[in-house]
Amino acid sequence: MTVYGWENVKSDVEMEADVVIVGTGPGGAGAARALAEAGRRVVMLEEGPAHSNFRPNHAHTMRYHMQENGSMVALGSAAVSVAAGRGVGGGSLINSAIIWRTPDHVLSSWTDVLGGDDRFSPANMAPVYDEIGDIIEVVKTSESIAGENNKLIVRGARKLGLKADLLHRNAPRCVGCGICNFGCPSGGKASVDKNLIALARAQGTVVQADTKVSRILVENGRAVGVVGPTRHPDNGRLVGTVTVRAKAVMLCAGAVGTPRLILQSGLGTTLGPRVGKGLHLHPGNAVLGLCDFPVKMWSGATQGAYFEDPELPGVLPHTLSLPPGALLLAMGSVGAQVKKDMEMAPYMAGCLVMVSDKGEGTVGIKSNGSADLTYWFADEDVDKMRKGLKRTCEVLAAGGAQRLLVPVVGAGWCDTMDEAFAALDAAQLTDYQAMYAAHPMATCRMGTDLMNSVIGPDGQAHGLPGLYIADSSIFPTSLGVNPQYTTMVMGTILGRDLAKTL
Ligand SMILES: Cc1cc2nc3c(=O)[nH]c(=O)nc-3n(C[C@H](O)[C@H](O)[C@H](O)COP(=O)(O)OP(=O)(O)OC[C@H]3O[C@@H](n4cnc5c(N)ncnc54)[C@H](O)[C@@H]3O)c2cc1C
Ligand code: SF4
């Protein structure tokens, strides 16, 4: 089966399936393959385009491959820019391909949250991690494509006695062009459109892109399908409406898109008070280091290295890699400074600190249908971020950086560690520059009852039979590691469990 775009929809279209899946990111892809291989008829609907000609162009990426055109910001105790992918493959199209298994202690805690249901326990997840890892071709980043930025972080952290290494990524044919976040132009990244969705399609799954589901259909107290307009991806022209009726509706629109669709469908009350609540973000912030040797942070595997400090649990620093234009934006360069910064850019290294957060936010809906995001930092997360940024300064310096730019408004380049630490110690939360998050999650959590969660351990909504969720919105907690792998695995498990009931 091919991936259909807007051209497939000449007027209004009606389809029938065993399961209609909304969204084609890692969660939807895992579930679709599992359901299709169990012989179920699956239709996947995707808001973004069927295909893309990826290029290092911000405007193109934001227009076609970021949810809400890359404009999402969570406002609360600070402003955090929130990114999520769009298109057949969802976030896997524009993510950095980093692969982590969720730590056992996190997965084990979920069995308690799920009232003893152990389907996501470390023992039950492990074989599915193995299986999916083979399909998405997880490999360790090789030295030959790592680039100096990644190597500098590993070198610096190891000098300080910290655990550090090149990362595992689902990028088996990566040539190190450094633009994963614009989409992979060379086919080096094994995004889920190329494997899990391709396998589902081989079993007859229909994928219809350019179609943004606007409503979940409910009849006699049961979800029975979805409906949404298909639009031309360039000019937004309405070409028709797609209706899919199915035995089960599975939402995989991501941690922003899934609660947004539930609320837009007027099902917020039916699905209970936790819809859109408990947003975790893995908020992050970065340090830049200036070296006296070329680094060219835009060259090499996009985010190919990490380090860990046992004294900082819940802090996961990894490479920050930006093309020159984005680097200047991140530095806030304007006017005559742009030329100076441009000259320094090839000598800069970057490292991003990501925090496993206790802070929480909400996903609501604005009158124009877009998501309304809030986020409130927990004090302990702010403390973790500060400590993580300090350790990152030390790592960059040990790797060869001579000056440091900490993400504090007005701090400027610091020539000594004392200066950098003083700026970080003095910073209030709102003084941090460019706070960023690309891991929204946990907004329609799994749990045991309607007051504390949206779905049960089998993925079905407590408040609406026939409605299932299988994306990054269902995690009961923050993960602490990059979520795509776990999302694929959980989608697979939930897809298999659903197939048995149909
Ligand atoms: C820039 C960036 C870098 C990242 N780097 C990494 C990384 O290296 N490693 C990692 O593990 N994670 C990374 N992530 C996070 C990871 O990509 C996400 O956690 C993951 O994609 C979430 O999967 P999902 O299935 O929940 O949803 P998504 O991947 O967000 O997919 C949801 C899909 O649903 C579609 N959709 C939304 N609403 C509708 C609707 N109403 N109708 C139809 N379709 C709809 C969207 O267009 C999207 O394609 C990164 C994310 C970004 C944005
Ligand atoms: S760094 Fe590798 S995976 Fe990323 S876009 Fe370039 S070739 Fe593709």
Side-chain angles (χ1 to χ4, degrees):
M1 284 280 178
T2 184
V3 175
Y4 296 113
W6 64 277
E7 308 91 330
N8 183 49
V9 180
K10 308 276 186 245
S11 59
D12 292 353
V13 171
E14 295 199 3
M15 294 188 243
E16 281 200 8
D18 291 323
V19 184
V20 58
I21 296 179
V22 181
T24 58
R33 176 221 164 213
L35 284 155
E37 292 193 345
R40 303 297 173 263
R41 292 172 306 149
V42 180
V43 173
M44 303 183 84
L45 298 179
E46 166 58 48
E47 169 194 344
H51 306 285
S52 200
N53 177 12
F54 293 118
R55 66 200 78 165
N57 175 317
H58 276 287
H60 179 269
T61 307
M62 290 167 85
R63 169 76 179 81
Y64 294 100
H65 290 296
M66 295 188 76
Q67 289 179 44
E68 303 202 0
N69 301 118
S71 67
M72 299 192 296
V73 178
L75 296 173
S77 43
V80 186
S81 164
V82 179
R86 179 177 183 270
V88 175
S92 77
L93 293 174
I94 59 158
N95 73 22
S96 303
I98 297 169
I99 291 291
W100 282 107
R101 294 183 186 215
T102 296
D104 285 358
H105 71 90
V106 176
L107 295 178
S108 297
S109 75
W110 293 2
T111 303
D112 294 337
V113 176
L114 298 180
D117 189 303
D118 67 350
R119 75 187 82 194
F120 305 110
S121 68
N124 287 333
M125 293 278 278
V128 195
Y129 274 125
D130 291 344
E131 173 194 339
I132 299 295
D134 286 345
I135 293 173
I136 62 168
E137 301 179 88
V138 176
V139 292
K140 188 174 173 187
T141 303
S142 71
E143 291 276 339
S144 62
I145 54 144
E148 180 56 22
N149 199 17
N150 291 316
K151 290 179 185 167
L152 182 152
I153 288 167
V154 175
R155 186 169 70 233
R158 286 184 181 167
K159 256 192 202 170
L160 299 178
L162 300 172
K163 185 175 170 199
D165 213 337
L166 298 175
L167 280 159
H168 283 76
R169 297 162 71 239
N170 55 323
R173 287 164 289 281
C174 176
V175 293
C177 73
I179 58 163
C180 287
N181 302 144
F182 295 96
C184 183
S186 69
K189 180 166 42 166
S191 45
V192 295
D193 52 314
K194 296 192 168 59
N195 36 65
L196 295 168
I197 293 177
L199 289 168
R201 285 171 41 221
Q203 298 299 323
T205 292
V206 173
V207 182
Q208 173 64 56
D210 299 320
T211 303
K212 183 170 187 176
V213 172
S214 55
R215 198 155 48 89
I216 300 161
L217 301 174
V218 178
E219 287 173 9
N220 302 319
R222 190 179 172 85
V224 294
V226 296
V227 61
T230 303
R231 296 185 183 278
H232 191 291
D234 297 332
N235 57 26
R237 181 171 60 84
L238 179 69
V239 296
T241 298
V242 174
T243 304
V244 186
R245 297 182 69 85
K247 292 177 191 158
V249 173
M250 188 172 249
L251 304 185
C252 299
V256 173
T258 286
R260 184 181 59 202
L261 176 57
I262 292 169
L263 295 171
Q264 189 175 3
S265 301
L267 293 171
T269 308
T270 310
L271 267 67
R274 295 299 302 178
V275 172
K277 303 291 190 321
L279 170 70
H280 287 308
L281 286 176
H282 283 166
N285 223 325
V287 180
L288 296 175
L290 186 64
C291 305
D292 61 0
F293 50 88
V295 176
K296 293 191 183 160
M297 67 156 69
W298 47 85
S299 173
T302 303
Q303 290 190 288
Y306 79 101
F307 76 85
E308 271 176 335
D309 181 341
E311 287 176 15
L312 296 178
V315 175
L316 183 55
H318 31 313
T319 321
L320 171 80
S321 142
L322 296 169
L327 177 59
L328 295 181
L329 271 180
M331 293 170 66
S333 298
V334 286
Q337 190 64 30
V338 172
K339 187 167 178 289
K340 235 173 134 188
D341 288 345
M342 200 62 171
E343 282 165 7
M344 295 197 301
Y347 299 89
M348 284 185 210
C351 187
L352 178 79
V353 175
M354 182 184 98
V355 172
S356 180
D357 49 336
K358 291 277 192 297
E360 290 190 2
T362 55
V363 176
I365 188 162
K366 295 182 186 161
S367 54
N368 67 359
S370 62
D372 191 4
L373 305 182
T374 68
Y375 186 78
W376 303 90
F377 276 82
D379 289 345
E380 64 180 281
D381 297 342
V382 182
D383 189 49
K384 276 193 232 169
M385 179 133 47
R386 178 177 292 114
K387 288 178 174 154
L389 289 167
K390 284 180 165 180
R391 183 65 80 241
T392 300
C393 287
E394 292 174 329
V395 165
L396 288 176
Q402 284 148 347
R403 303 181 78 200
L404 297 161
L405 189 62
V406 292
V408 176
V409 176
W413 283 99
C414 301
D415 291 314
T416 65
M417 202 57 71
D418 284 349
E419 265 181 61
F421 279 19
L424 288 167
D425 283 333
Q428 302 294 310
L429 185 58
T430 47
D431 296 331
Y432 281 116
Q433 198 169 311
M435 206 100 71
Y436 176 74
H439 302 168
M441 60 195 146
T443 51
C444 289
R445 296 178 182 205
M446 279 188 297
T448 51
D449 65 85
L450 186 81
M451 295 315 287
N452 295 315
S453 58
V454 178
I455 60 168
D458 62 351
Q460 187 164 211
H462 300 300
L464 185 60
L467 186 75
Y468 292 77
I469 306 179
D471 59 20
S472 51
S473 70
I474 68 173
F475 307 148
T477 61
S478 185
L479 296 191
V481 294
N482 311 55
Q484 66 162 343
Y485 196 19
T486 300
T487 312
M488 293 173 207
V489 167
M490 292 176 77
T492 302
I493 291 172
L494 290 172
R496 281 184 181 145
D497 289 350
L498 173 58
K500 288 180 202 147
T501 70
L502 295 174

